[in-house]
Amino acid sequence: MKVKIKGILKSRIVTLLGILLFIAVCIGTGSLLAYIEHESDPTEQAVIYFRAFIQQDYETMYECIDRENGYYVNKDLYISQMKQVRQNMVIDTYEIKEPEKENGKIVVAIECTDTDADTTQEMKIYLNKKRKGLQIVPDYSINVDLMMVDNFSVVISEGNSLELNGEEITDNMADITTDKEGNITYNFDAAINGQYNVSATNDYYAVTQEIHLTEKDTKVDLTGENYTANEKYTQLLTDHGEQLIKQFYRAVRNRRPSYKKLIANCEENNRLIKKMQKLVERSEEVVYWPETRNIENYNVIEMKMSTLKNTIKYDPDTKQYIVTYRYNYRYTSSTDTALYTSYVDTFSGRCRTTMTLTYSLENDNVVLSDISIKNRNNKK
């Protein structure tokens, strides 16, 4: 009898333990599912992105973007577009709606209200869901496919590197291949739309092209374009050229062809010094008209120069940079006031000028080696 009772008790205990274990598993599973559901809510990431948008914190917005391999999202272009969108939206109040699926993508819609105009705009935030390894709770990032252009590629010559809007493109940003001729092709699965300065550059020169990327399957070939200076030498040449022009016209106004600061640009090149002096004298005739009586009594009392803009070409055979400035200036020349008559003689005009500066490369430095000027003087 005692054996039977013990058997019954054991069977009931086992059953009870099984039931308790089952309940525990159910509770644990339910809790886990509830936790996963709570933690995997994409709304939280959408809210972080949207609040950064409201606060015009574009750096945070950029960090929220999903930038997978092969997808190129230029930071400056992205921020520029977001600024434009923000400027066109007045947001007094907003309502965040529940996440939904649209064309297989997760989307959180936010209804934004302009109270004064009594209008609403809907901002849709698309998200990507990703898991790493055995990660239970997924990560969410912002999907910007609607801003992207598919299949963008650039071909450059061997020995150069690719820059897009000044940013060097590395091998983890694009699929890079090389053909039999040594040409290198950068292939992007997609790139953000917008205005690009596409540049193949090296230590001395660059090949550049401006494009507005809007169409898929866009291919830019930089292997046959004209050479220009790279970013480093562009800045160096521009700084030197603008300073030289200021010194040149100071010499012209003051009738000083041998102005020391100007002549110092010639690096003791006697041929260039003589040419520089002759060009100063020739330009003096623009602002001091030779046919004017007593012209030696006149001084330039006003000279207004237009914005200086240049084009730079590089000749890889001669290793020279040719910098061409096209500009104009208005001038007024006048005599001093005569004490006995209080009379002043003046004349004025507008001169259109092309100045071409040639620089040679010497030990990675640029040295002025030639200069030419064409003046077109319109007298009033």
Side-chain angles (χ1 to χ4, degrees), residues 129-146:
K129 179 169 68 172
K130 291 184 178 179
R131 286 187 172 88
K132 298 176 182 178
L134 300 176
Q135 181 181 358
I136 297 176
V137 179
D139 293 325
Y140 290 95
S141 55
I142 305 303
N143 179 297
V144 291
D145 283 357
L146 294 178

Side-chain angles (χ1 to χ4, degrees), residues 73-345:
V73 184
N74 181 271
K75 187 175 183 179
D76 291 338
L77 275 181
Y78 168 78
I79 289 177
S80 175
Q81 293 188 37
M82 287 299 101
K83 282 182 178 178
Q84 186 173 358
V85 174
R86 184 67 184 92
Q87 288 170 0
N88 293 329
M89 289 186 72
V90 177
I91 305 173
D92 294 319
T93 62
Y94 59 87
E95 179 186 353
I96 302 172
K97 299 183 179 180
E98 292 296 321
E100 296 181 354
K101 280 198 172 183
E102 183 178 300
N103 298 324
K105 296 179 181 178
I106 302 170
V107 58
V108 175
I110 302 177
E111 190 175 271
C112 306
T113 302
D114 178 351
T115 304
D116 291 338
D118 193 24
T119 58
T120 60
Q121 286 181 276
E122 188 175 69
M123 180 176 178
K124 288 187 175 182
I125 299 175
Y126 295 86
L127 299 106
N128 291 337
K129 179 169 68 172
K130 291 184 178 179
R131 286 187 172 88
K132 298 176 182 178
L134 300 176
Q135 181 181 358
I136 297 176
V137 179
D139 293 325
Y140 290 95
S141 55
I142 305 303
N143 179 297
V144 291
D145 283 357
L146 294 178
M147 301 172 67
M148 306 296 284
V149 177
D150 291 338
N151 300 327
F152 172 50
S153 62
V154 182
V155 185
I156 66 175
S157 298
E158 189 177 17
N160 295 319
S161 59
L162 175 65
E163 291 184 358
L164 297 178
N165 289 353
E167 180 181 13
E168 184 175 353
I169 304 303
T170 58
D171 55 6
N172 65 337
M173 301 165 73
D175 179 27
I176 303 174
T177 58
T178 304
D179 64 19
K180 295 180 180 178
E181 287 73 33
N183 296 323
I184 305 167
T185 301
Y186 289 74
N187 299 289
F188 301 90
D189 293 334
I192 188 170
N193 66 75
Q195 192 72 28
Y196 284 90
N197 177 285
V198 186
S199 178
T201 184
N202 57 39
D203 290 340
Y204 301 108
Y205 62 86
V207 181
T208 64
Q209 190 178 133
E210 297 284 342
I211 68 163
H212 189 69
L213 182 61
T214 57
E215 300 291 333
K216 69 176 183 178
D217 301 322
T218 296
K219 184 175 183 177
V220 178
D221 189 346
L222 297 180
T223 59
E225 297 289 324
N226 292 326
Y227 297 101
T228 186
N230 63 13
E231 186 176 355
K232 170 188 171 182
Y233 283 102
T234 293
Q235 189 64 52
L236 187 64
L237 293 165
T238 299
D239 290 345
H240 186 277
E242 291 183 358
Q243 189 62 34
L244 184 147
I245 289 173
K246 289 179 182 179
Q247 294 164 353
F248 184 88
Y249 285 100
R250 182 173 295 176
V252 169
R253 293 193 302 271
N254 296 327
R255 296 186 175 96
R256 293 174 59 189
S258 298
Y259 179 46
K260 288 184 178 180
K261 288 187 177 179
L262 175 62
I263 297 304
N265 292 285
C266 300
E267 299 287 346
E268 300 182 355
N269 182 332
N270 290 329
R271 178 195 62 80
L272 185 57
I273 290 173
K274 290 179 181 179
K275 187 172 186 179
M276 184 76 76
Q277 291 172 331
K278 287 183 179 179
L279 291 175
V280 170
E281 292 171 353
R282 188 186 304 170
S283 293
E284 285 178 15
E285 296 180 358
V286 172
V287 296
Y288 296 113
W289 301 349
E291 69 274 15
T292 304
R293 184 180 177 184
N294 298 323
I295 190 62
E296 67 275 3
N297 296 327
Y298 285 75
N299 290 302
V300 176
I301 61 172
E302 184 178 31
M303 180 180 279
K304 292 185 177 179
M305 189 83 65
S306 68
T307 301
L308 296 175
K309 296 182 179 179
N310 65 36
T311 57
I312 303 175
K313 293 183 179 180
Y314 178 77
D315 186 336
D317 296 326
T318 62
K319 294 186 177 180
Q320 289 183 323
Y321 298 99
I322 296 90
V323 186
T324 303
Y325 284 91
R326 291 180 176 84
Y327 54 91
N328 61 75
Y329 57 91
R330 297 181 181 275
Y331 62 89
T332 300
S333 299
S334 171
T335 60
D336 291 333
T337 303
L339 295 177
Y340 54 91
T341 63
S342 298
Y343 185 75
V344 177
D345 286 323

